[in-house]
Every structure is written in structure tokens, then in C-alpha cells.
Amino acid sequence: MTMIPTTSVTLGSSHEEEEVEEELLSLMMDNDVAPPTTTTTTTSSSFTPDQEKQIINDLIHVSGSNAKPGDLFYLLSNRWYMEWLRYTGQDSDENSTVSTVCRPGQIDNHHLVIGGSDSYGDDLELLKTLQEGHDYVLVSQDVWKILYDWYKGGPALPRKMISQGVANKTLLVEVYPLCLQLIDARDDKQYAIRISKKATVRDLYNQVSVLLKLDEEKFRIWDYFNKKKSSVLAVADQDLEDANLQMDQDILVEVEQHLWPSGLGLDSTGNGLALVPVEPARSSITIAGGPTQSNGYSSGYISNFYEGNALGSPLTGAEDGYNLSKMAKGDRGGLSGLQNLGNTCFMNSSIQCLVHTPSLVEYFLHDYSAEINKQNPIGMQGELAIAFGELLRKLWSSGRAPIAPREFKTKLARFAPQFSGYNQHDSHELLAFLLDGLHEDLNRVKFKPYIEIKDATGRPDEEVADECWEIHKARNDSVIVDVCQGQYKSTLVCPVCGKVSVTFDPFMYLSLPLPSTVTRSMTITVFYGDGSALPMPYIVTVPKHGLYKDLFQALGTACCLNSDELLLLAEVYDHGIFRYLVNPLEQLFTIKDEEHIVAYRLPKKQEGFTRLEIVHESKENSGVRKRLGTPLVTFIAEAAQKSEDVQNAVQMVLSPLLKVKVCHPSNCIHTSMEDGFASENDIDGLFNAGNSGCRLRNQSVDKMELDQLSNGMDSFILSLTDEKGMHCSSIENDFHFRQDQFMRVILDWSDREYGMYNISFLEDLPVVHKTTTKKIRSEAISLFSCLEAFLKEEPLGPDDMWYCPTCKEHRQATKKLDLWRLPEILVVHLKRFSYSRYLKNKLDTFVNFPTHNLDLRNYVKSNVAARSHTYELYAISNHYGGLGGGHYSAYAKLSKENRWYHFDDSHVSSINEDEIKTSAAYVLFYQRVQEKRVDESSQVHSSSG
């Protein structure tokens, strides 16, 4: 979210230009923003693109510390915003050379609202599926007013900033306010009310009072979720979010006709709204299973709960559809669905997997009150554990009516603001938060001791691993650690001095990469920026759904890129560079098969150097000039500033194309030319001799011409041009230029150049080629191959370097992971999603995972004879469709029945075991098989289930 200052400014019309300019300059001075270097007015045509960029970016720069709850932000079409960024030179590709960038038209936000261009008014409703950064961006009120004054358009879509969370306050813009369906009990008329979830019950009464023209003391509002009277909204200062009100739910208004029923009345103190609940608030189920006491806890164990001894009377949750009295009869439980509260399928999927984890079911159905840690500063004072425990008990209290997890969602929003609101989220991210949050709430260690970890210093791995585990358990001891945490060994090796560092770290789950099942062959022509060799085409294989960085790495390996070099990739169109491919996180599918992609080998050290782009032109007999060949890119040295320096740079990069044989006798290689490219054997020979000084040419030139060329005399006709190629100026002998980051020149090809150079090397570029897919059999993409990809040795990334204690430098060390200690419950996350600045991609690869007898003995490096390393599947979190617009569900097994069920929000149905393996599997849940079951099994190493 863009954070902008909240100081207000109003921009006027053209006849008020001077006043508006003063107001704008005042605003900028108040925020320490430097005014534009050129004095202009603020009409729509007054500012240059650079000045517009300066004004907006300077406001953004000083905005962070000024944002506060209540500030107004505006939704702005991302489509329009990207046009403005390109217009002001701020698009993602800073080196883009698109010939024409027009000024954006009017702001158009109509595609963000229901009704589109036919929508009018101030209270417009947003489409439910909008995503920030894809459909819209958020800008402050000041920026909106400035942009609106410059460009006009609309409609304006203001939203307020709110503070979310308890321990860690998070500022966010409430893009989707709470929408409530108000029902008037007098005539059943319905009204839509949009109000902030941070508004109070008092605010809601005020809004209803105005809407229905009623005295606030003459009506009451019921929480009418699922068309059932849940409770009267009675606490005046309570947030609507804390009142558990959900998006699009019903509320019921009852108007006083007679005296209110006993127990409900108006406070006589006159402090606005002080309604008394119909009956005292109570928790429908408690930690121990008995009636709730005033402190929220009770004594006793689950045996009393099952026998009904602790129940004074049957408790029924009318809202949630469960009946505790049936549980005493021994009916089966665990088959209730969870209502979708608005894009909460991700939460429902994770919860169903956790509440069907046998160890957690047994724990939370017993009395766990003694283990709640309210002192943990990084915990949630036990509230998350209590909310989860109550939800688990509701789901296991028999009956198949769906449960509405409203209280749990409210607690989740309080402690994890990232999951608040009604957007789709990642079930694995929620699962990671829940496991960690439950651990901290149930940590038996009330005061964590400080223990210094000793260096391994050559000690046996077993000794160091046990020591690290004991240190971990001394600070972290909970049911989550008992059943869900394992330990792995991490080995780092310095590539310079060979220093080996071994650590043993705990893990809560394994996030496994998916080996790519589909690859793509791409042909890229590599040019040498220093003129050391001929251009060479390379065919590389990359993941079809990969990123630019995959192409950079594959091409760098193929062409043996030196450590002091980099590759600058570009798309060539109509004999010019259409765009540079510089963003490593961009998706590869943006490169089409029919495009021409080239790469320039250039030095890594570019500071102070000028990059020179050389475009080729010639004059036809008709006198019309046309472009030809492929542009060349090189660098001009830092000290160069004269025309002869440009001439020398052009001469250097063109030198491989000379029609003359120039080579050292000991390294002479003869080649043949076909279709403008050397044959494969010749290319290999050329590459191997590329740095030896060998240059192969098939014709000779006049010695005087070569001498003149070497001396830089009468060399080339060059013209300096702009990015659009529209304005040209001749580079004369007395031409001087200042050091800059970029220079483009046009090289005029006359008969002389055609006679000296073989331009065929610059023409007939190969296309990227048609995509070639190679599908691996689905059974070959097994869970074991994912695990092996996770455990393989690989170098750390450039942004994740390791500080070597021996070298005293950050090094790109190699890292190797090994499993050391496995937990009772093994959670396996399949990394199906990849992210970039603009795109999110999902791999729908089918992973063949075992349902029975997952044997990991070969992957555990501990020599200690430990418990079984064999596991059985009991739950799956599934994801269907694309990220953001997809859907989650869960498969879970009831062990006592030995049957699988499909939990799809409210709907629960049985499913055959042979149907649970799909490409939607996202998170897998395994339970350790007991030793005796391993002894009875004749085949424990099975990858097919």
C-alpha cells in the first residue's frame, strides 16, 4: 500500500492558477518536498512528466510517519496508474525503449465498481474480486486530489485507514467495509448498510436511527446470523468486529410497541445506549467440558463431559448448530462442516485438517487449562488456544449441522491482522501461524532461560544435535512441540576457505519444491560487448512456468559467463531494441515464441561507464533510409569524452565482423559459413579461442583501409539520436559528450562498410522457437523427488550470503539440509505458488504421494535407533484454480471408521480413498505409524500407497 502524507490540499481551476500554485508549494514545503526546478503552474498541461514524478514521489517519500487511523485513501485504477508510471518514466523496465509514451487520459475507475460505466453516485459498491496491485493501487487523499486536478475523471472511491490487531498494531485501508443486511421486523423490508468493522455498536444504532427515522431508545438490533436471533447488540462501545458481525450477514431491528420483555431495558443514566443483554453471556463449551465459571475455566476432565455428569442442563448452540447433549450418548463426531464467512475457505480447510489430527483432538478434548500461558509476551494470552479448543469441541460434539466459526475468525483478526477482512489467503500461511500461535499460547515454559549455544568444534553430530534439541525444549515445550516439531541438520561450506558450519534447527513443517514437469527450449543469440568473438546462438532449456532469472542462469551456464560479466537481455524488433529484459522475477511466458531475443555480454562493473547502443542504417537507391541488422551494445570507458572514443568503441565491437583472417599462428581455426552463422563445431572452436585473440574472416581488405580503421581515422559516419530515433545530430571530430548512463548512435552503412564487414552475422536472428514440452510421467513426480529436491546441496542466493567466520567476509556458501529427527505428525507443504511483482503463478503438477507406508528411513541421517520413520496420511488441504480466485477444501480421515471425508466449507461427504490423490493437493498431513504396525507390515517402503 502506498503511504502518502495526509495534509489536505485543494486544487483550483485554470483561472486560479497562481493561488493553486502557492497552495501546492506550501504543501510541499510543509512536507520538506523540494519544488520543481522550473517554475510552472498547476494546470493539467503545466508540469512536465519529470515534475509530476517529482511532486508525487516526494510526497510518497515523506508519508510513512504521518499515516494514522481515520485518514482517507483512494482506490486508483492500476491500469491507469501503470500508464502514468510509463509516462513519467517509472515503469518496471527502467531501460524500456518503447518509441512513444503518451500522456494518460482521464482517470477511469469504472471497472472497479459494480455497474461499470453505468454506475453513478457517491456510494458505489466495489466488485468483490479486486486485488491490490493487480486491479487497483491505494493513494492518499492529497495525491488523489493532485492527480484528479491534472487528469480529471473518476469516480472517486475513498476508503478509511484503520488500525488492526492487538499486540502488533497494523495500519491498513479498509477497502471493503462491513456490509450488513438490515431487516425491519415491522414489515420485513431489507436495507443494505455499509459501515466500518471498527465502528462501534453506538455508531450502528446512529446509522439505523437516521435510516429508519427512529429514536435510538425506541428500537433494538439483534445479531440475526443465519436468520436466528443470536444476541442483542448491547455494548455501546464495542467494535462491530468484536461483536462477531460478518460480511453480508443479517441484523434484525425490533421497534418498541410495548414494554421490553423482562431483562432488557434502557439505561436511565442517559448515556446514549446501554442495553442489557437478555441473559448473561456464556461460553457454549468450556476447556474442561463443564459449565463455564466466572474466570472462564473449570475443573474436571473429558470423562465427565462424555458421561454428562458435569452438565447441569443440555447446552445447545442455536447459532452454530451443534448439540452437546448428544455427545453423552456416544454418537460419532467430527463430521460437521464450517460455514464460509466470505472467502474463508482457506481457513476452513486448515482448521478441518488440524481438528482431525488425532493427537490434537485428544489434547483439546481434555482439560488443558493448566497449560495456558498468559504470561508469554509473544503469545496471545491464551485466547487463540481457547478459541481453537472451543471450535474443535463444537466440531466433535456430533451432529452434522455446519458450524459458523465467527468467534474464531474474530480472534484470528485481532492477533493476525494479515488474515482480517474478506480476501482469499493461503491455507499454508494460516496453518503456519496457527501452529506457532497455539505453541506460544500453550508453552509450558513460563520464563524462557537464556542458553548460549556452543560451537560444534568437531564434536559428533549426535552429541551436538541432542544438545541443540535440549536447549530448544528448555525454551519451547508444548503439545505442538511434542507432536509437530522435528529437527534437521544444516551444513554450510565456504567456497573460498572450505570452512564447514553445522547447525541443528527445529522445523514445524517441510516446504518442498516441485520439480518442474514441463520445460521450454529457447534460442538466444549472445553478442560480445567487447568484440572478442562472433555472436553465437544458444539453445537453453528452462521451466515453462519459470522466471527471467531461470533464463539468466541457464544462458550464463551455456555460454560460460565469467564471474566479472553479466548478461543484458533484449527483445529485437524491426532492427531495434524494443525492450530490455531486466527484471529477474518476471514470468518467462511474457517472452513469445516468435520473438527475437538477444543477450549482450557486458562487464559487471558499470559505474562511471557509458553504455553505448549502436543501431544500423543504410540509404536505399530511392534515398529512403532503412534500418538493418541487430543493434550492438558496448561500454565506453570512464575517462572517454570525445568523438574518437565513440569511434573506437564502435570499431571494437564490430571487429569480429571484419572480412579478414587475423589470428595467432598457434590458435588458427578455419570455419565455414552457412546462413550467416558458424556451424556447431566452428562455434565451439570459436568460443574456446574467443579469448585467445583469434579472429576468422573469409575475405581480405586493403591494408591501407585496415590501417586507417586501426588508427580511428575516417572510420564511421555516426549520428547521435534519442530513444525514439526521431532526432539525429552528426558526431563530428570536435564532438564532446558528458559521462552518462546511456547513449544511442546510428551507424551509416555505406559501400565501404559493406566491403569491410560481414553484416550477415547481424541478420537473420533465430526466433525463440516453438515451445517444446516434455511431460514426465505423473508417477515419476513423486513426493520423494520433491523431498530430494529440498535436501539437495545448492549455493545460497546472492541476497542470502553467509558470513564466514574464517574469511571474515560474506560468502555465497553451499547449503545442504538433512532430516535428523522426525515428529509424530509430519506436515508437508507442496510449494505450488510462485510470486513476482506483477504476477502470481501456480503449478498444477500432479504429485504422487503415498497414503500408506511413507518410509523416510533413507532420508534421516541420525544414527541413533529412533522411533519409526514410517507414516500414514490422514488429511489433505486442497487448492483448486488460480491464486486469489481459487478455492480450498480438505480431505480428512476418521481413523475409527477408517473412512475418508471431503470437507468443502459447509458440505461434508464421504469419498473413496482412491479418489483423494489429485493435482489439487497442497498440504499433506501424516501420522507416524506405531512400531508394532511396522513389524506387521511386509512392505514398508511403498511410494504408491
Side-chain angles (χ1 to χ4, degrees), residues 822-893:
L822 295 180
E824 177 186 342
I825 300 299
L826 180 65
V827 180
V828 179
H829 165 228
L830 302 176
K831 298 173 69 174
R832 293 193 177 275
F833 301 111
S834 61
Y835 303 86
S836 71
R837 179 178 176 184
Y838 301 103
L839 295 171
K840 302 174 182 179
N841 185 51
K842 180 191 174 186
L843 295 175
D844 288 314
T845 306
F846 174 76
V847 177
N848 187 25
F849 48 87
T851 54
H852 303 285
N853 299 326
L854 169 64
D855 187 5
L856 299 176
R857 69 178 71 180
N858 294 332
Y859 300 96
V860 179
K861 296 303 180 182
S862 174
N863 296 323
V864 179
R867 302 166 66 182
S868 166
H869 294 148
T870 306
Y871 288 83
E872 184 164 318
L873 187 73
Y874 70 87
I876 306 171
S877 175
N878 298 305
H879 181 271
Y880 304 89
L883 188 62
H887 179 66
Y888 288 93
S889 72
Y891 296 143
K893 182 179 181 180

Side-chain angles (χ1 to χ4, degrees), residues 166-167 242 287 297 364 368 372-376 379-391 407-412 414-415 433-434 437-438 440-442:
V166 177
D242 291 339
I287 294 173
Y297 300 148
F364 282 101
Y368 58 94
I372 291 180
N373 188 341
K374 302 185 71 173
Q375 303 172 354
N376 191 347
M380 282 143 278
Q381 291 75 51
E383 293 186 38
L384 182 67
I386 294 173
F388 177 81
E390 290 198 357
L391 181 57
E407 295 86 350
F408 182 82
K409 185 179 184 299
T410 298
K411 295 293 185 184
L412 184 66
R414 289 186 65 206
F415 295 108
F433 169 80
L434 288 179
L438 291 174
E440 296 296 351
D441 268 6
L442 299 170

Side-chain angles (χ1 to χ4, degrees), residues 583-823:
N583 184 359
L585 299 181
E586 193 77 16
Q587 300 283 339
L588 276 177
F589 72 76
T590 60
I591 301 176
K592 307 304 180 185
D593 294 334
E594 64 275 9
E595 292 175 351
H596 301 272
I597 304 298
V598 299
Y600 302 100
R601 293 180 68 147
L602 301 171
K604 270 187 180 179
K605 184 181 179 182
Q606 299 181 7
E607 185 177 355
F609 285 64
T610 297
R611 183 169 54 179
L612 177 65
E613 181 182 309
I614 305 164
V615 181
H616 312 281
E617 286 189 1
S618 67
K619 183 183 293 185
E620 296 182 324
N621 294 333
S622 61
V624 177
R625 305 192 63 83
K626 70 170 185 177
R627 286 192 176 184
L628 65 151
T630 304
L632 298 174
V633 176
T634 186
F635 272 81
I636 301 178
E638 184 175 5
Q641 294 181 343
K642 301 178 181 178
S643 61
E644 61 182 297
D645 298 316
V646 180
Q647 291 279 353
N648 291 338
V650 175
Q651 173 191 327
M652 176 187 68
V653 75
L654 282 178
S655 61
L657 278 61
L658 279 169
K659 295 179 179 179
V660 63
K661 178 179 177 180
V662 182
C663 68
H664 297 300
S666 60
N667 291 316
C668 186
I669 301 174
H670 298 276
T671 70
S672 60
M673 296 291 298
E674 295 181 3
D675 298 328
F677 286 97
S679 67
E680 184 175 348
N681 292 334
D682 294 337
I683 287 177
D684 290 339
L686 278 170
F687 178 76
N688 293 331
N691 295 325
S692 66
C694 181
R695 302 288 179 267
L696 306 175
R697 309 290 175 253
N698 58 6
Q699 293 182 19
S700 61
V701 297
D702 183 84
K703 184 177 184 301
M704 183 175 66
E705 288 184 332
L706 183 59
D707 290 342
Q708 287 179 337
L709 185 63
S710 301
N711 295 328
M713 296 172 57
D714 192 24
S715 299
F716 307 104
I717 300 175
L718 301 175
S719 300
L720 188 67
T721 184
D722 58 13
E723 292 185 0
K724 301 178 183 180
M726 301 297 293
H727 304 285
C728 300
S729 58
S730 177
I731 299 180
E732 307 294 344
N733 292 335
D734 58 350
F735 172 79
H736 283 71
F737 64 94
R738 61 181 180 84
Q739 282 295 325
D740 204 347
Q741 295 182 346
F742 181 79
M743 179 189 298
R744 178 183 285 107
V745 299
I746 296 176
L747 170 59
D748 185 10
W749 281 72
S750 63
D751 292 341
R752 175 178 171 276
E753 277 71 33
Y754 279 117
M756 293 180 61
Y757 296 97
N758 191 337
I759 198 172
S760 63
F761 286 100
L762 303 182
E763 296 184 326
D764 301 323
L765 283 178
V767 296
V768 171
H769 284 320
K770 294 182 179 180
T771 303
T772 302
T773 60
K774 179 182 178 183
K775 293 186 178 292
I776 305 176
R777 293 182 306 166
S778 60
E779 59 267 23
I781 306 301
S782 67
L783 188 64
F784 295 104
S785 62
C786 297
L787 183 60
E788 288 162 2
F790 172 72
L791 297 175
K792 73 176 181 180
E793 183 178 21
E794 60 183 2
L796 297 175
D799 299 327
D800 191 27
M801 304 239 280
W802 171 64
Y803 182 79
C804 176
T806 303
C807 298
K808 308 297 183 185
E809 296 283 348
H810 284 89
R811 302 295 189 191
Q812 196 169 356
T814 58
K815 184 175 184 178
K816 175 73 170 68
L817 292 178
D818 293 297
L819 299 180
W820 191 266
R821 186 188 309 265
L822 295 180

Side-chain angles (χ1 to χ4, degrees), residues 337-340 344-345 348 352 887-888 903-908:
L338 289 166
Q339 283 188 247
N340 193 315
T344 56
C345 59
N348 295 345
Q352 291 289 9
H887 179 66
Y888 288 93
F903 295 85
D904 187 2
D905 288 333
S906 299
H907 183 69
V908 180

